[in-house]
Amino acid sequence: MTILFYIVTIAISVAMFLPFFWSLITSFKPSDEIFSMPIKWIPSTLTLEHYKAAFTTVPFGLYFWNSFVLAAAGVLANLFFGSLSGYAFAKLNFKLNKPLFRLLLAAMMIPGIVTMIPSFYVLKHFPLIGGNDLVGAGGNGFLNSFWGIILPGASGSFAVFFMRQFFLTLPSDMMEMARIEGCKEFRIFWNIYLPLTKPALATLSIFTFQAGWNSFLWPMIILNDPNKATIQMGLQAFSYNHQTDFGPMMAGALIAVLPILVMFLMLQKYFVQGIAFSGVKG
């Protein structure tokens, strides 16, 4: 059984790795070998022309920077507000604690596509923003701005739930002792409990950064200025007139993968700890 298990596992791993390997090889193949039959898994020559095309066809560097700014801002917002809300749900006994948390869980079950139109309407008609008057008319609100991407996801339901589960694993004795010493509630959260949540924060950072970096539909709806486009929107430029330029697209896609890969490798130790300890208590 052990040998069969390893055989099946290796076969599944190879099957899952093949698309990535094909993308990697395609990004270095000459254009005339991309769809040659039979498939050439090893190109006759290696070329960087597709990587050059990726940065010359569109301002790929600018798109890369825009995506990084949006993803990093989403991470910082979710780490702060998510951990703050998670601490409140886990450690503070207030009247509406459980009803609000149940409402949060219900919100997690609603598909994002359902709230997309209401979110768009709120952002467009936000009062006194983007040329709008006091009743939200006359302008574009947060449309075509990075804030229209950052604000709706600044404190995601998953971030609050995830941090709440981690805070539940921490003892409450430290909080009681700090209160006796006269510490304010925010200082207890910031100086005592938050430093203990590094594994959870690292895990949440990876999830949030990946979601923000890979986001395509919402930025496509909100951002109309080409100079504010993200890297995922930039990849669309290689598909035009019902044709796809696979070489530069594969090169751009691999470049787009690098930040997530580097971030995971840097935070891998904390990521494993966060998965192991979060969700122990309900």
Side-chain angles (χ1 to χ4, degrees):
M1 286 298 295
T2 303
I3 296 177
L4 179 61
F5 171 78
Y6 280 113
I7 292 175
V8 173
T9 303
I10 293 172
I12 294 175
S13 301
V14 170
M16 296 182 66
F17 179 73
L18 275 179
F20 176 79
F21 180 74
W22 185 86
S23 301
L24 178 64
I25 293 301
T26 300
S27 68
F28 291 103
K29 282 183 180 180
S31 298
D32 57 350
E33 294 185 8
I34 292 179
F35 290 108
S36 60
M37 296 300 293
I39 298 176
K40 288 188 176 180
W41 293 102
I42 305 299
S44 58
T45 58
L46 298 179
T47 177
L48 295 176
E49 65 180 37
H50 300 314
Y51 288 89
K52 295 178 181 178
F55 282 92
T56 55
T57 304
V58 295
F60 213 69
L62 176 62
Y63 296 163
F64 191 97
W65 173 250
N66 291 341
S67 289
F68 180 80
V69 170
L70 290 173
V75 169
L76 293 177
N78 272 271
L79 290 185
F80 178 73
F81 293 112
S83 59
L84 194 63
S85 301
Y87 172 82
F89 280 120
K91 296 300 180 182
L92 303 183
N93 295 319
F94 54 94
K95 188 175 181 180
L96 296 178
N97 188 316
K98 291 185 177 180
L100 288 177
F101 185 69
R102 292 192 185 101
L103 185 64
L104 177 77
L105 293 180
M108 291 178 62
M109 302 177 189
I110 301 175
I113 194 70
V114 175
T115 60
M116 192 164 291
I117 294 177
S119 298
F120 180 87
Y121 185 86
V122 171
L123 291 173
K124 178 175 175 57
H125 297 284
F126 204 91
L128 304 178
I129 297 294
N132 284 338
D133 55 23
L134 192 60
V135 295
N140 291 319
F142 285 111
L143 299 187
N144 202 31
S145 72
F146 284 170
W147 289 110
I149 308 296
I150 297 171
L151 291 179
S155 181
S157 300
F158 174 77
V160 178
F161 170 78
F162 186 81
M163 293 305 300
R164 184 250 188 192
Q165 297 304 102
F166 196 91
F167 277 117
L168 285 175
T169 66
L170 302 178
S172 300
D173 299 344
M174 299 179 294
M175 179 177 63
E176 301 298 334
M177 294 177 61
R179 287 174 177 171
I180 293 175
E181 295 294 330
C183 285
K184 300 297 183 181
E185 203 64 49
F186 183 80
R187 186 177 179 186
I188 296 174
F189 158 75
W190 188 259
N191 291 342
I192 298 177
Y193 279 94
L194 192 62
L196 300 176
T197 63
K198 288 181 180 179
L201 293 176
T203 305
L204 184 60
S205 297
I206 294 174
F207 287 154
T208 307
F209 188 88
Q210 182 180 14
W213 184 266
N214 292 331
S215 180
F216 172 75
L217 182 58
W218 187 244
M220 177 69 73
I221 293 173
I222 296 297
L223 302 175
N224 297 320
D225 187 352
N227 292 326
K228 295 179 180 178
T230 64
I231 196 169
Q232 307 302 333
M233 296 167 63
L235 291 176
Q236 188 190 28
F238 301 112
S239 296
Y240 49 89
N241 294 332
H242 305 288
Q243 295 181 349
T244 301
D245 198 351
F246 283 97
M249 176 175 280
M250 292 301 103
L254 289 172
I255 294 173
V257 168
L258 287 179
I260 298 176
L261 181 62
V262 171
M263 186 176 186
F264 177 79
L265 292 176
M266 291 175 58
L267 302 177
Q268 183 179 11
K269 179 180 69 173
Y270 295 113
F271 176 77
V272 174
Q273 293 177 6
I275 293 296
F277 290 104
S278 295
V280 175
K281 292 186 178 181

